[in-house]
């Protein structure tokens, strides 16, 4: 296999005859470490007449030269400190020129050493290359590691971050001292979410790196409600013939999307130079926020090479790999011998020194990237630790190490830097985290090392420093943010970030910007349209301080007082004809029932409770039933006293059991209210009024039972009315029947009006309707039954004598003499009738 591969390398080298190996950096050692750096950023290809290609590297990168020197310094420091005992580390550093094909050609030098083939760039006595540090770009690393794996040579990259390289099935020999791009995409998404930037543009390269990180960013951003307004893809090769056209298209996308204030860039630094140069021609394209990925986040030449001002571009954030301590390396550059002839083993450095002269060290120091110091030195530390682990119990000079051995040792090694331990995970990655930087323009230079925040891969969170920038006033949204009190609704055919704001409905709220939903208010809380908070509902009921209730209670109190006064008057004149003719004991019971009925009115006001709801209708129903029952007994008594028909009079005498009648009437109502309380008692209920108040009221629940109670009272009242109407023409001294008729008429009229009013009235004044009807009924009975008698007792005492009563009866009998004579003529013919008829002079005795 190795012979076949050697032939392949020879053919490949012959085809690309124009690629020379003269540019390299070498140093002898017992163990050789390869280095592959894009010291030039692009390649110009020409084709000879015979079809062979000539490849010329151009766009020299001082920053990448500094990267190679970081590796040299780290290796020399290990040798000087004799960390590996008598073993020394050498190196072979080559230029990938930022091009995959060139990188593969250059990798032949590493492969040829291990294949023991003599080539112009390799010495027979040189030990094999056991490991390669590099390349910086993912696209190159993907190709190079596949080629190096043919000899099991591990590759440790200090900048290739594509997530594809974590696949150990495809890339078993690849490792890196940087995290993969899925973590970087998470960090960028968190930055966007932190500042509320939901409508952004993306510029990426058409490479494994660009495609992967764009896809991962889209994955994480969409979870946070962030959308891409546009994605511009540029060719990865800087000499691509379509690059200019693609950059122009990118500029157009930036200008056309006026709502996009934030652009994320995953392209190389040289592309950004061209992009910024073209953008400055358009005033509307200035002042944007640029979020630079690690590929150019610490490349000040993006601005300084063309003397661009940061204020003209806008704001630049950067995602950088973890920074290292640059102090030692700065001292190394300070002590660097600037004589080109003293660096013949490093043609890259020699050429640079020839061009820049005595100012070379300062130029190099300007382009020290702290992340490169950390990542490259960490790679060297990992290699040194793996070698140390393998050579502790082994003479590695006599028994040279093999690449496969070193690869296994690297996977297991725990190495240290700055008193902290590190190791590769099972993907060959080293998850060290990120620094978030903010570019700052100083008077003399551009500061690209100003750390704004840290991103922890372990905890997946951002931690901002005390100098957090005030970028909250920059908006990058498809539509304006929905204020509290509104919610987002999607628009057909538009991405999720382009939405409409709908107001929250009544009794709903949203208390944050861009709320997805309007939340319902909790119980006993309410809100109006477009509310951001729910307010506690005020409880409403017929309060004691309400004017209407005060008036009704005043009439209730007056009625109760009048009832007591009447009772006192009756008791004080108990043996007078007026009281005796009114059936004194029954009248007292009637007054007592009126008193209770007046009292029941109080139960209809104030804050309702379960006992009150059940008691008020029951107390009213039973007390008013007792009241009507007493009136009915009095009606029967009057009719019985003046009934001329002996048959009817005989029947009435048998039926007239006053207290039994009252008890039977009360028993009927007791049955009704008992069934009501058992099967469906009234309870406290509530409803929401139009002014968003919680109305508390008593719900009668079993309406048929409530109706039956009222109907039962009405039936008794109807009997009273019928009986009283029959005796409406009795003597004036016995005119109770006439007043009973009036009282019942008042009762009927008030309760007939109650029905439709009760059904149509709503709100807290509904109980007041029944209160009014009860008061009207009570006052009707009190006035009609007792006030005329009290007037006679107090003001017309001469009418309150037996003589006056007899005189009144005599006058009544004279008016009805015809009837009396007719009865007398029939006494012989009808003995039964004669026995049952008494003289009118006895009517008075019947009543009193």
């Amino acid at each position: 296999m190795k012979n076949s591969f050697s032939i392949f390398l020879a053919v490949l080298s012959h085809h690309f005859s124009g690629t020379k190996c003269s540019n390299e950096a070498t140093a002898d050692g017992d163990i050789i470490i390869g280095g592959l750096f894009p010291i030039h950023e692009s390649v110009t290809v020409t084709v000879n007449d015979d079809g062979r290609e000539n490849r010329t590297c151009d766009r020299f990168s001082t920053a990448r030269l500094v990267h190679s020197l970081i590796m040299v310094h780290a290796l020399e420091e290990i040798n000087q400190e004799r960390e590996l005992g008598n073993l020394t580390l050498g190196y072979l550093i080559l230029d990938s020129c930022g091009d995959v094909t060139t990188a593969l050609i250059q990798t032949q030098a590493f492969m040829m050493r291990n294949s023991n083939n003599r080539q112009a760039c390799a010495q027979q006595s040189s030990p094999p290359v056991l490991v390669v540090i590099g390349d910086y770009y993912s696209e190159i690393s993907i190709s190079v590691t596949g080629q190096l794996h043919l000899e099991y040579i591990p590759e440790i990259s200090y900048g290739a971050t594509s997530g594809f390289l974590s696949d150990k099935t495809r890339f078993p020999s690849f490792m890196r001292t940087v995290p993969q791009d899925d973590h970087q995409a998470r960090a960028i998404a968190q930055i966007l979410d932190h500042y509320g930037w939901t409508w952004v543009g993306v510029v990426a390269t058409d490479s494994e790196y660009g495609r992967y990180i764009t896809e991962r960013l889209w994955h994480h951003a969409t979870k946070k409600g962030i959308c891409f307004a546009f994605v511009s893809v540029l060719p990865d090769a800087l000499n691509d013939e379509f690059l200019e056209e693609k950059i122009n298209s990118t500029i157009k996308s930036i200008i056309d999307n006026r709502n996009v204030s934030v652009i994320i860039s995953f392209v190389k630094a040289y592309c950004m130079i061209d992009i910024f140069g073209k953008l400055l021609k358009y005033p509307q394209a200035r002042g944007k926020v640029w979020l630079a990925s690690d590929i150019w986040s610490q490349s000040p030449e993006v601005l300084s090479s063309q003397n661009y001002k940061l204020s003209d571009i806008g704001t630049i954030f950067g995602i950088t790999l973890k920074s290292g301590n640059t102090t030692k390396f700065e001292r190394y550059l300070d002590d660097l011998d600037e004589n080109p002839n003293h660096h013949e083993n490093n043609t890259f450095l020699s050429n640079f020194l020839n061009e820049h002269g005595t100012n070379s060290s300062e130029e190099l120091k300007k382009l020290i990237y702290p992340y490169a110091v950390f990542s490259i030195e960490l790679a060297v530390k990992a290699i040194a630790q793996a070698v140390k682990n393998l050579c502790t119990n082994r003479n590695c000079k006599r028994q040279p190490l093999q690449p496969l051995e070193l690869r296994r040792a690297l996977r297991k090694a725990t190495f240290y830097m700055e008193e902290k331990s590190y190791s590769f995970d099972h993907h060959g990655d080293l998850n060290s985290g990120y620094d978030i930087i903010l570019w700052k323009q100083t008077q003399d230079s551009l500061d690209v090392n100003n750390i704004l925040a840290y991103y922890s891969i372990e905890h997946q969170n951002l931690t901002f420093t005390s100098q957090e920038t005030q970028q909250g006033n920059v908006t990058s949204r498809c539509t304006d943010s929905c204020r509290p009190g509104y919610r987002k609704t999607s628009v057909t055919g538009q991405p999720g970030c382009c939405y409409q704001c709908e107001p929250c409905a009544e009794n709903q709220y949203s208390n944050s910007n861009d709320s997805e939903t309007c939340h319902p208010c909790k119980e006993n809380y309410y809100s109006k349209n477009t509310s951001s908070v729910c307010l506690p509902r005020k409880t409403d009921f017929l309060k004691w301080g309400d004017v209407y209730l005060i008036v009704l209670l005043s009439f209730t109190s007056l009625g109760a007082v009048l009832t007591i006064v009447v009772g006192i008057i009756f008791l004080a004149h108990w043996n007078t004809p007026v009281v005796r003719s009114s059936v004194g004991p029954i009248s007292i019971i009637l007054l007592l029932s009126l008193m209770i009925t007046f009292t029941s009115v109080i139960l209809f006001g104030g804050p309702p409770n379960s006992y009150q709801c059940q008691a008020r209708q029951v107390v009213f129903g039973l007390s008013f039933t007792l009241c009507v029952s007493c009136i009915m007994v009095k009606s029967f008594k009057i009719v019985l006293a003046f009934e001329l028909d002996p048959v009817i009079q005989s029947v009435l005498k048998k039926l007239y059991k006053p207290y039994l009648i009252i008890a039977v009437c009360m028993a009927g109502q007791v049955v009704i209210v008992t069934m009501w309380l058992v099967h469906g008692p009234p309870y406290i209920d509530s409803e929401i009024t139009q002014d968003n108040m919680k109305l508390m009221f008593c719900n009668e629940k079993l309406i048929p039972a409530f109706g039956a109670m009222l109907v039962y009272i009405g039936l008794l009242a109807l009997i009273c009315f019928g009986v009283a109407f029959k005796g409406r023409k009795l003597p004036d001294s016995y005119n109770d029947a006439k007043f009973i008729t009036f009282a019942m008429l008042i009762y009927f009229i008030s309760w007939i009006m109650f029905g439709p009013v009760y059904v149509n009235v709503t709100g807290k004044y509904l109980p007041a309707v029944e209160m009014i009807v009860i008061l009207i009924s009570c006052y009707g009975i009190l006035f009609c039954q007792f006030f005329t008698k009290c007037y006679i007792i107090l003001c017309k005492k001469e009418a309150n004598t037996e003589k006056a009563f007899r005189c009144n009866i005599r006058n009544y009998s004279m008016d009805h003499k015809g009837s009396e004579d007719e009865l007398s003529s029939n006494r012989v013919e009808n003995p039964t009738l004669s026995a049952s008829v008494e003289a009118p002079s006895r009517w008075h005795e019947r009543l009193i």
Side-chain angles (χ1 to χ4, degrees):
M1 175 180 173
K2 287 185 177 182
N3 290 335
S4 299
F5 183 65
S6 299
I7 295 171
F8 166 74
L9 291 178
V11 172
L12 187 65
S13 178
H14 176 73
H15 178 70
F16 297 106
S17 60
T19 304
K20 299 179 180 179
C21 299
S22 57
N23 284 334
E24 62 183 14
T26 63
D28 294 333
D30 300 312
I31 295 172
I32 301 299
I33 298 174
L36 193 62
F37 296 87
I39 297 175
H40 291 82
E41 290 283 359
S42 64
V43 173
T44 300
V45 181
T46 59
V47 181
N48 297 334
D49 294 338
D50 59 0
R52 296 183 181 183
E53 290 184 354
N54 292 317
R55 310 180 71 82
T56 304
C57 298
D58 50 29
R59 300 197 188 209
F60 178 81
S61 172
T62 305
R64 307 307 178 195
L65 171 61
V66 174
H67 291 179
S68 68
L69 293 177
I70 294 171
M71 174 180 166
V72 171
H73 167 251
L75 292 172
E76 290 180 355
E77 189 176 47
I78 289 174
N79 290 336
Q80 290 170 4
E81 296 179 1
R82 299 183 64 83
E83 291 185 19
L84 299 178
N86 61 348
L87 289 176
T88 59
L89 300 177
Y91 55 83
L92 172 60
I93 297 175
L94 302 175
D95 185 4
S96 68
C97 299
D99 177 70
V100 173
T101 304
T102 303
L104 290 173
I105 296 170
Q106 296 288 57
T107 305
Q108 293 177 55
F110 306 139
M111 308 291 288
M112 287 176 182
R113 281 174 174 262
N114 295 24
S115 301
N116 293 322
N117 287 317
R118 298 179 181 275
Q119 299 292 334
C121 298
Q123 299 178 4
Q124 183 176 1
S125 60
S126 298
V129 174
L130 295 182
V131 60
V132 174
I133 295 177
D135 185 271
Y136 177 76
Y137 295 118
S138 297
E139 194 81 4
I140 294 174
S141 294
I142 288 172
S143 300
V144 167
T145 190
Q147 183 168 317
L148 291 174
H149 180 62
L150 296 174
E151 292 289 334
Y152 302 108
I153 300 173
E155 178 187 6
I156 304 177
S157 175
Y158 68 96
T161 55
S162 173
F164 294 118
L165 289 164
S166 294
D167 186 351
K168 294 302 105 178
T169 303
R170 294 175 59 191
F171 309 106
S173 295
F174 181 81
M175 285 167 276
R176 53 188 163 194
T177 55
V178 292
Q180 66 125 314
D181 281 328
D182 183 68
H183 302 299
Q184 184 174 185
R186 286 179 186 269
I188 294 173
Q190 285 201 24
I191 293 172
L192 298 176
D193 184 55
H194 176 78
Y195 289 112
W197 296 328
T198 59
W199 189 240
V200 299
V202 176
V203 184
T205 56
D206 187 14
S207 61
E208 294 288 353
Y209 164 78
R211 288 188 293 271
Y212 180 82
I213 194 170
T214 301
E215 187 276 327
R216 297 316 297 166
L217 177 60
W218 180 87
H219 174 78
H220 295 301
T222 51
K223 291 182 178 180
K224 297 180 180 295
I226 299 167
C227 306
F228 294 171
F230 63 88
V231 177
S232 293
V233 180
L234 306 182
D236 187 51
L238 296 178
N239 58 356
D240 190 286
E241 60 180 315
F242 298 107
L243 180 60
E244 184 76 11
E245 178 185 340
K246 293 293 185 180
I247 289 177
N248 290 334
S249 176
T250 300
I251 301 301
K252 186 177 184 303
S253 296
I254 294 172
I255 294 172
D256 290 345
N257 288 273
R258 295 180 179 274
N259 287 348
V260 175
S261 299
V262 178
I263 302 165
I264 304 153
S265 172
F266 301 119
V267 301
K268 295 177 180 179
Y270 279 102
C271 288
M272 291 308 303
I273 293 173
D274 292 341
I275 289 173
F276 285 152
K278 293 179 181 294
L279 280 177
L280 289 177
K281 299 176 183 178
Y282 304 94
Q284 66 269 34
R286 300 185 180 188
K288 303 288 186 182
V289 175
W290 290 84
L291 218 165
S293 70
D294 63 293
I295 202 170
W296 68 277
S297 60
Q298 285 189 314
S299 301
E301 64 269 20
V302 167
L303 300 183
S304 60
S305 63
Q306 303 296 322
N307 294 319
Y308 300 148
K309 296 294 183 181
L310 182 59
S311 57
D312 295 332
I313 301 300
T315 303
I316 298 180
F317 286 93
I319 309 292
T320 70
L321 304 169
K322 186 173 177 58
S323 300
N325 190 333
T326 62
T327 304
K328 289 183 180 180
F329 183 61
E330 287 176 358
R331 286 202 299 266
Y332 171 79
L333 293 181
D334 287 334
D335 299 335
L336 185 67
D337 187 347
E338 295 184 344
N339 187 343
N341 298 325
H342 295 169
H343 299 283
E344 293 181 356
N345 68 318
N346 190 335
T347 56
F348 307 116
L349 179 58
S350 177
N351 292 337
F352 180 81
L353 295 175
N354 275 325
E355 183 176 345
H356 292 82
T358 57
N359 198 35
S360 299
S361 293
E362 292 301 319
E363 291 296 322
L364 292 171
K365 285 170 64 177
K366 289 179 181 178
L367 294 173
I368 296 176
Y369 296 165
Y371 82 86
V373 173
F374 176 84
S375 301
I376 296 172
E377 286 186 355
L378 199 60
V380 173
K381 291 286 186 181
I383 295 169
Q385 186 63 49
V387 170
K388 187 176 182 179
N389 293 343
L390 289 172
C391 298
T392 299
N393 300 314
R394 169 180 173 181
N395 189 339
C396 290
K397 287 189 175 183
R398 293 183 180 180
Q399 293 179 293
L401 296 176
Q402 297 300 315
L404 185 57
E405 285 183 288
L406 186 59
R407 190 182 81 179
R408 291 170 181 166
L410 283 168
R411 289 288 186 86
K412 298 177 182 179
T414 298
F415 37 98
Y416 300 86
M417 193 169 76
E418 298 176 0
E419 300 181 352
K420 188 174 181 181
S421 63
Y422 299 91
S423 60
F424 296 107
D425 63 15
H426 63 285
H427 294 298
D429 300 337
L430 196 150
N431 297 321
S432 54
Y434 298 95
D435 294 337
I436 315 301
I437 61 172
L438 175 67
W439 288 24
K440 284 191 173 182
Q441 183 80 56
T442 63
Q443 188 173 1
D444 301 325
S445 62
L446 186 64
D447 182 8
V448 296
N449 298 314
N450 177 52
I451 297 178
L452 175 68
Y454 302 96
Y455 179 79
S456 168
I457 292 177
E458 180 182 359
H459 300 100
Q460 295 185 0
N461 69 328
L462 283 171
T463 303
F464 283 86
T465 64
S466 58
Q467 52 177 315
E468 181 178 353
T469 181
Q470 300 294 324
Q471 294 302 322
N473 56 352
V474 176
T475 57
S476 189
R477 312 178 68 91
C478 180
T479 54
D480 291 337
S481 177
C482 290
R483 303 191 311 273
Y486 292 80
R487 69 180 181 91
K488 297 193 300 186
T489 56
S490 58
V491 179
T492 305
Q494 294 292 327
C497 298
C498 301
Y499 48 80
Q500 292 178 335
C501 298
E502 281 193 2
C504 291
E506 189 173 325
N507 295 322
Q508 294 184 340
Y509 75 101
S510 66
N511 56 3
S512 61
N513 289 329
D514 291 331
S515 177
E516 297 283 348
T517 58
C518 291
H519 309 288
C521 292
K522 295 180 180 179
E523 188 177 1
N524 297 329
Y525 284 78
Y526 78 98
S527 67
K528 296 182 179 179
N529 292 338
T530 69
S531 293
S532 60
V533 66
C534 290
L535 302 174
R537 289 188 189 278
K538 293 182 179 179
T539 303
D540 198 18
F541 52 87
L542 192 57
K543 297 180 175 64
W544 297 119
D546 192 286
V547 176
Y548 295 101
L549 182 57
I550 292 174
V551 171
L552 291 175
L553 292 179
S554 299
F555 278 104
T556 301
S557 302
L558 177 62
V561 170
L562 292 176
T563 302
I564 294 172
V565 170
V566 170
I568 293 172
I569 293 173
F570 264 55
L571 290 173
H573 301 81
W574 185 256
N575 293 317
T576 61
V578 170
V579 174
R580 291 170 64 190
S581 65
S582 298
V583 194
I586 300 300
S587 294
I588 296 300
I589 296 174
L590 175 57
L591 287 171
L592 180 62
S593 65
L594 279 176
M595 186 68 183
I596 298 174
T597 305
F598 275 121
T599 304
S600 70
V601 173
I602 301 173
L603 298 175
F604 287 83
N609 58 67
S610 57
Y611 296 108
Q612 177 186 348
C613 291
Q614 295 178 24
R616 67 180 191 176
Q617 297 292 0
V618 172
V619 172
F620 160 69
L622 293 177
S623 62
F624 205 74
T625 299
L626 178 60
C627 180
V628 176
S629 300
C630 291
I631 295 173
M632 185 172 64
V633 167
K634 291 183 67 176
S635 302
F636 277 129
K637 176 71 172 176
I638 295 169
V639 173
L640 177 63
F642 290 94
E643 177 58 52
L644 301 179
D645 190 331
V647 177
I648 297 176
Q649 189 180 80
S650 176
V651 173
L652 290 176
K653 278 185 176 181
K654 294 178 181 178
L655 293 177
Y656 184 66
K657 306 292 182 183
Y659 298 106
L660 180 61
I661 292 173
I662 292 173
V664 170
C665 292
M666 287 295 295
Q669 191 68 285
V670 168
V671 171
I672 293 173
V673 298
T674 301
M675 293 183 65
W676 185 6
L677 294 177
V678 170
H679 294 288
Y683 63 96
I684 301 176
D685 201 355
S686 63
E687 65 180 14
I688 308 304
T689 63
Q690 292 183 349
D691 53 356
N692 283 307
M693 298 185 74
K694 184 179 181 180
L695 177 64
M696 303 294 296
F697 62 95
C698 291
N699 190 327
E700 313 304 345
K701 189 176 181 180
L702 205 59
I703 299 299
F706 179 46
M709 183 189 77
L710 297 179
V711 168
Y712 185 78
I713 296 174
L715 182 61
L716 295 180
L718 188 63
I719 294 173
C720 289
F721 178 78
V723 174
F725 186 78
K726 180 177 175 61
R728 68 188 183 283
K729 296 182 179 181
L730 295 177
D732 292 340
S733 299
Y734 302 95
N735 59 0
D736 266 11
K738 185 187 298 181
F739 289 113
I740 289 172
T741 303
F742 289 148
M744 293 302 101
L745 281 174
I746 293 172
Y747 169 80
F748 286 131
I749 293 171
S750 61
W751 282 95
I752 289 171
M753 292 174 62
F754 167 76
V757 174
Y758 190 82
V759 171
N760 290 285
V761 172
T762 58
K764 65 180 180 180
Y765 292 111
L766 182 61
V769 175
E770 190 170 354
M771 294 171 69
I772 293 171
V773 175
I774 293 172
L775 288 174
I776 292 173
S777 301
C778 289
Y779 272 107
I781 293 173
L782 187 63
F783 275 74
C784 293
Q785 284 291 297
F786 295 102
F787 276 25
T788 55
K789 292 180 174 59
C790 288
Y791 174 75
I792 294 172
I793 293 172
L794 298 176
C795 300
K796 298 184 69 174
K797 295 181 179 180
E798 67 278 6
N800 190 18
T801 61
E802 289 191 18
K803 181 179 179 181
F805 268 68
R806 291 183 184 277
C807 180
N808 189 256
I809 293 173
R810 189 176 299 111
N811 293 333
Y812 176 81
S813 64
M814 293 298 292
D815 293 338
H816 294 76
K817 193 173 187 303
S819 298
E820 188 177 341
D821 292 341
E822 184 180 353
L823 288 172
S824 298
S825 62
N826 292 330
R827 284 176 182 171
V828 177
E829 298 176 7
N830 193 341
T832 303
L833 181 61
S834 176
S836 62
V837 176
E838 302 180 18
S841 61
R842 301 289 298 171
W843 288 346
H844 174 67
E845 285 78 3
R846 290 181 190 175
L847 287 170
I848 60 176

